[in-house]
Amino acid sequence: MKMRFYDYFERNDKDPARNLYCDLLHFLVAITASLALASCTTIRTPQKYVSPDKSFSVAVEGGVLTYRGLLMKRGVDQAEKYLAEHPSVSVLAIESQGGEVTEGMRLGDLVLARSMDVRVIGSICASSCANYVFVSGRQKFIEPGALLTWHGSPLRPQDMPITATVVDSDGHSESKEYKGEALLEYLKRPEIAISVERDRKEQMEFFRARRVDGRITVFGQEIGCDCQWTLTVEDMGKFGVDGVYADSSYPNAAPLLKELSVVTLRLKDYPGHVSGGKD
């Protein structure tokens, strides 16, 4: 009669040698399972969230958090969640055309609190990304082909057109843009003036905490340049933005420099402009 595999063990369950063999086998199986479990727990599975409207994405892998797209509350909320779940993350890689001022500042605060490096990837880091996120990095890297651009901030509200909702006596509402003389009059309204002054002080405190001259965000307006602008690494340092690393060809090799008509402003061309100031 042909003996089945498990019949052998059933008929030899009192064999000392057989029992020793089984004990050894069980031990090896247990060790193998433990090693497999340990290896699974140390492997980090990449995580990624893409907003339904594709306006932003946030991903984490290893020690890098990657943010692409508009800076908005849902996106920064997701970034904060990933940072809480992955305390070893030390680098923020970002590509952003800008977004909400408050959310740019919030992401900048997260970067500063964790002493993270910031790496500009892809094509651009503009507006709120440049104003608040980039300057918050411990070390700051601009990858070849990427571009850093500024075009204003609440430090000079008179240069930032405002779109407000106006409601008439019939309850009909419409959006109205204020700029030029109309903007100056709008900013004089008591309730608006209070808000503007609060925002200005908040901005000054934000840059003071980083020992950065916040006028880097309004340099273009101060010299009368109605433009988006970038700066050389050397001039960034003169505004207190230290630890910046970029290719020697920056910014000339960035494709978007010409495409977006971005102007490279140089402090040496404006000797009357007082720069620096880390106080």
Side-chain angles (χ1 to χ4, degrees):
M1 181 177 66
K2 186 175 182 180
M3 183 179 291
R4 294 169 300 174
F5 179 76
Y6 52 84
D7 286 336
Y8 173 82
F9 291 103
E10 288 179 356
R11 296 183 184 184
N12 293 276
D13 57 356
K14 295 182 180 180
D15 184 346
R18 177 261 175 189
N19 289 337
L20 180 61
Y21 171 78
C22 287
D23 290 342
L24 180 60
L25 181 62
H26 292 158
F27 175 74
L28 291 174
V29 169
I31 289 296
T32 303
S34 298
L35 291 175
L37 179 61
S39 65
C40 288
T41 57
T42 56
I43 293 174
R44 288 189 167 183
T45 302
Q47 294 176 271
K48 185 174 184 178
Y49 176 83
V50 181
S51 66
D53 60 2
K54 304 294 191 298
S55 59
F56 70 85
S57 69
V58 188
V60 62
E61 182 174 4
V64 180
L65 178 77
T66 301
Y67 194 111
R68 294 182 185 271
L70 286 171
L71 292 169
M72 52 200 309
K73 186 178 186 306
R74 288 179 296 136
V76 178
D77 283 347
Q78 187 64 46
E80 186 171 21
K81 176 176 180 291
Y82 279 158
L83 287 174
E85 294 172 347
H86 302 272
S88 64
V89 168
S90 61
V91 177
L92 171 66
I94 188 165
E95 177 182 33
S96 174
Q97 63 271 51
E100 300 172 18
V101 170
T102 54
E103 298 309 320
M105 294 175 71
R106 185 156 72 99
L107 185 55
D109 283 341
L110 290 171
V111 168
L112 183 68
R114 296 176 60 122
S115 297
M116 297 173 67
D117 293 340
V118 173
R119 194 169 78 230
V120 180
I121 60 174
S123 59
I124 198 167
C125 174
S127 191
S128 288
C129 179
N131 285 7
Y132 313 115
V133 182
F134 183 78
V135 301
S136 298
R138 184 178 67 90
Q139 294 188 99
K140 310 156 188 72
F141 302 88
I142 306 173
E143 291 196 347
L147 185 65
L148 194 68
T149 69
W150 290 269
H151 67 82
S153 78
L155 287 176
R156 282 181 64 95
Q158 68 270 30
D159 295 312
M160 298 180 67
I162 294 175
T163 300
T165 300
V166 179
V167 182
D168 61 24
S169 57
D170 297 328
H172 177 71
S173 63
E174 64 177 352
S175 294
K176 181 177 179 180
E177 183 180 56
Y178 294 91
K179 57 184 179 180
E181 291 298 324
L183 175 60
L184 294 178
E185 290 301 315
Y186 178 79
L187 295 175
K188 290 178 183 178
R189 296 181 184 180
E191 70 280 11
I192 301 301
I194 292 173
S195 177
V196 166
E197 181 60 18
R198 183 191 64 237
D199 291 346
R200 190 184 70 81
K201 288 182 177 179
E202 185 179 40
Q203 295 277 309
M204 291 175 64
E205 183 58 35
F206 180 91
F207 292 113
R208 187 177 296 116
R210 289 149 178 81
R211 297 183 60 80
V212 166
D213 184 346
R215 290 175 300 164
I216 192 172
T217 67
V218 295
F219 179 37
Q221 284 91 356
E222 286 186 343
I223 62 173
C225 179
D226 183 18
C227 61
Q228 295 185 76
W229 69 90
T230 190
L231 300 168
T232 64
V233 170
E234 179 184 3
D235 280 347
M236 290 182 207
K238 292 177 181 178
F239 279 102
V241 183
D242 300 322
V244 179
Y245 300 89
D247 190 83
S248 60
S249 62
Y250 182 84
N252 298 325
L256 288 184
L257 187 70
K258 291 184 178 180
E259 189 174 327
L260 297 179
S261 299
V262 175
V263 179
T264 302
L265 298 179
R266 291 179 169 81
L267 282 170
K268 67 179 183 180
D269 295 332
Y270 304 93
H273 181 83
V274 179
S275 64
K278 298 185 182 183
D279 54 333

